[in-house]
Amino acid sequence: MTERSTALRSLKVLDLTRVRAGPTCCRVLADFGADVIKIEAPEGADPSAGVSGARHGYDMLNLHRNKRSLTLNLKSAEGRAVFMRLVEGADVVVENFRPDVKDRLGLAYDDLAAVNPRIILASISGFGQTGPYARRAGFDQIAQGMGGLMGVTGNPDEGPMRAGAAVADSSSGLYAAIGILVALQERAASGQGQWVQSSLLEAQIALMDFQAARYLVEGEVPRSTGNDHPYVTPMGVVATQDGHLNLGVGSDAQWQAFCKLIGKPEWAEDARYATNPARFRHRPELWDLLRPVFAQRTTVAWVEALEEVGVPAGPIYMMDEVFADPQVQHLGMAAAVEHPVRGQTRLVAQPVKLSRTPASVYVSAPDAGEHSDAILSELGLSADEIAALRAKHVI
């Protein structure tokens, strides 16, 4: 059995999140050893139960590994009282309710700080905690559209296209985790907690990076260019003898090496193609020249040949091919964990490596309320008190 990471083992995190953005944030902390207590509604108390998919399905298992589960009805006075007792000894609370929900529940930052001034509250929303859209429901694809990603994704003549992964959800969770770690470091000096905020919209805009900066600095509105790089050529997808290849000729020196490799050194001297600005201006005709060349070899043969001359290239995998790749296997991106129902299960490992205190996937996702008795006992409740809470459907 893999051992629990020691990196964040001293931290206690109360996880009020669901769906993807919030659970992603808490998963980072859990994988590095934090005691993450997933707070869930008792059976029948939440009409939105199951929104994250089947309990033993791939999404739940991947998002909620390394956590403990406590069922608690936060709509009841007794449930909120138990939660506040947990807050007294906790370091972090993470939530992704709509901004007004925590106020109605009495779980806003000021409420938490009143019982524990060191508490850090991380709130992840669709559009921010304030402003004209604050109370809107936020979904990944909506943030992709409003944050500019869909406007530059897809082929120019086909209209906007969503990315194939939940990039706004996942990145907002990661940004929230960064904010929590910053707040923890600051707390070590000040002794005070604070409110960390992240949103899908802000995270998506931040991920646009150079595309957003093109507009802010130069006033240029980026457009979709399909698989071609926005301003470097030839950098994009090209068909090979048996599939497709990502080609990345990123400099004039690489272009010269490429031309020599394919037996066309004169292209490197041609004024239409000698420099990247020139190649960019003549991109359609350049790709017309390159397509027949790449059709002559397999993807593997091209990757090997291009690697030998220092020109970046790579295959385009389906997911089974991703995890069959020897470099991916070497990096350990599939982490095995034992599940009581499914047996040994492979999940997506943390991509951040630490030399002394690495992340680990050491236990599978819990069933709802699996650790309720243990967590409440740690809080000082007696067996009779726990039984009384269960009888009232508080837990």
Side-chain angles (χ1 to χ4, degrees):
M1 179 177 175
T2 304
E3 293 185 359
R4 175 180 168 187
S5 175
T6 60
L8 300 177
R9 200 160 188 169
S10 64
L11 293 182
K12 179 166 287 186
V13 179
L14 305 180
D15 177 3
L16 296 173
T17 69
R18 61 179 66 193
V19 190
R20 185 169 316 284
T24 296
C25 171
C26 294
R27 179 179 61 190
V28 173
L29 305 177
D31 284 1
F32 281 102
D35 179 15
V36 177
I37 299 175
K38 177 175 169 54
I39 310 291
E40 308 184 64
E43 186 176 358
D46 183 2
S48 299
V51 69
S52 295
R55 190 77 198 190
H56 297 157
Y58 62 91
D59 215 13
M60 287 288 288
L61 295 186
N62 196 50
L63 284 169
H64 298 292
R65 78 276 185 109
N66 294 346
K67 301 177 184 180
R68 298 195 289 167
S69 174
L70 166 68
T71 49
L72 194 60
N73 186 353
L74 294 174
K75 295 179 181 179
S76 69
E78 296 98 325
R80 287 194 299 276
V82 170
F83 183 76
M84 284 305 187
R85 288 183 65 177
L86 287 167
V87 169
E88 290 176 12
D91 297 285
V92 180
V93 174
V94 185
E95 60 87 14
N96 61 348
F97 303 129
R98 291 195 197 187
D100 58 313
V101 172
K102 60 182 169 294
D103 296 321
R104 294 203 308 269
L105 291 175
L107 303 178
Y109 174 70
D110 289 342
D111 300 314
L112 306 183
V115 300
N116 180 359
R118 292 174 57 83
I119 199 71
I120 292 163
L121 171 64
S123 296
I124 305 170
S125 61
F127 301 96
Q129 295 296 310
T130 59
Y133 304 160
R135 294 196 177 189
R136 288 188 184 180
F139 290 97
D140 177 83
Q141 186 162 337
I142 295 172
Q144 286 192 30
M146 293 179 67
L149 179 61
M150 291 177 66
V152 298
T153 304
N155 291 317
D157 56 347
E158 294 178 356
M161 177 71 67
R162 67 181 292 274
V167 290
D169 269 341
S170 297
S171 59
S172 61
L174 295 175
Y175 280 123
I178 293 170
I180 289 168
L181 296 174
V182 171
L184 287 166
Q185 175 64 21
E186 193 280 335
R187 190 183 71 176
S190 70
Q192 298 294 307
Q194 57 183 304
W195 188 12
V196 174
Q197 301 172 35
S198 175
S199 74
L200 275 64
L201 180 59
E202 290 166 289
Q204 181 59 79
I205 293 169
L207 280 186
M208 295 307 293
D209 195 48
F210 74 90
Q211 295 282 45
R214 282 177 69 185
Y215 169 70
L216 292 175
V217 177
E218 304 291 349
E220 297 179 11
V221 178
R223 306 292 179 183
S224 59
T225 57
N227 286 316
D228 284 328
H229 190 277
Y231 52 81
V232 177
T233 297
M235 186 175 289
V237 175
V238 63
T240 65
Q241 192 177 81
D242 64 347
H244 291 84
L245 174 84
N246 265 319
L247 176 68
V249 179
S251 69
D252 293 341
Q254 290 174 357
W255 171 245
Q256 293 163 11
F258 172 74
C259 291
K260 184 176 179 181
L261 168 68
I262 64 173
K264 297 289 185 179
E266 66 274 14
W267 289 359
E269 304 301 325
D270 191 313
R272 295 170 297 174
Y273 315 128
T275 66
N276 182 69
R279 290 192 296 278
F280 184 78
R281 289 193 300 272
H282 296 90
R283 179 154 66 187
E285 65 188 70
L286 182 57
W287 277 120
D288 287 342
L289 291 173
L290 295 179
R291 288 189 188 97
V293 175
F294 278 93
Q296 297 172 14
R297 302 191 200 184
T298 66
T299 297
V300 170
W302 273 117
V303 170
E304 291 175 351
L306 291 163
E307 171 65 21
E308 288 180 3
V309 298
V311 175
I316 299 172
Y317 287 151
M318 298 301 288
M319 198 54 66
D320 57 339
E321 297 170 303
V322 171
F323 287 100
D325 184 277
Q327 182 65 23
V328 175
Q329 294 181 354
H330 170 77
L331 293 170
M333 283 305 297
V337 67
E338 195 68 25
H339 187 268
V341 174
R342 303 189 67 141
Q344 189 176 80
T345 307
R346 294 193 305 162
L347 304 173
V348 184
Q350 276 293 334
V352 179
K353 304 291 193 293
L354 274 67
S355 62
R356 288 192 301 103
T357 58
S360 66
V361 179
Y362 63 93
V363 67
S364 190
D367 282 336
E370 180 177 334
H371 305 96
S372 293
D373 287 16
I375 293 167
L376 294 176
S377 296
E378 293 166 9
L379 201 58
L381 275 68
S382 68
D384 288 343
E385 289 173 313
I386 295 171
L389 289 173
R390 184 166 282 115
K392 294 180 179 179
H393 301 290
V394 175
I395 62 172

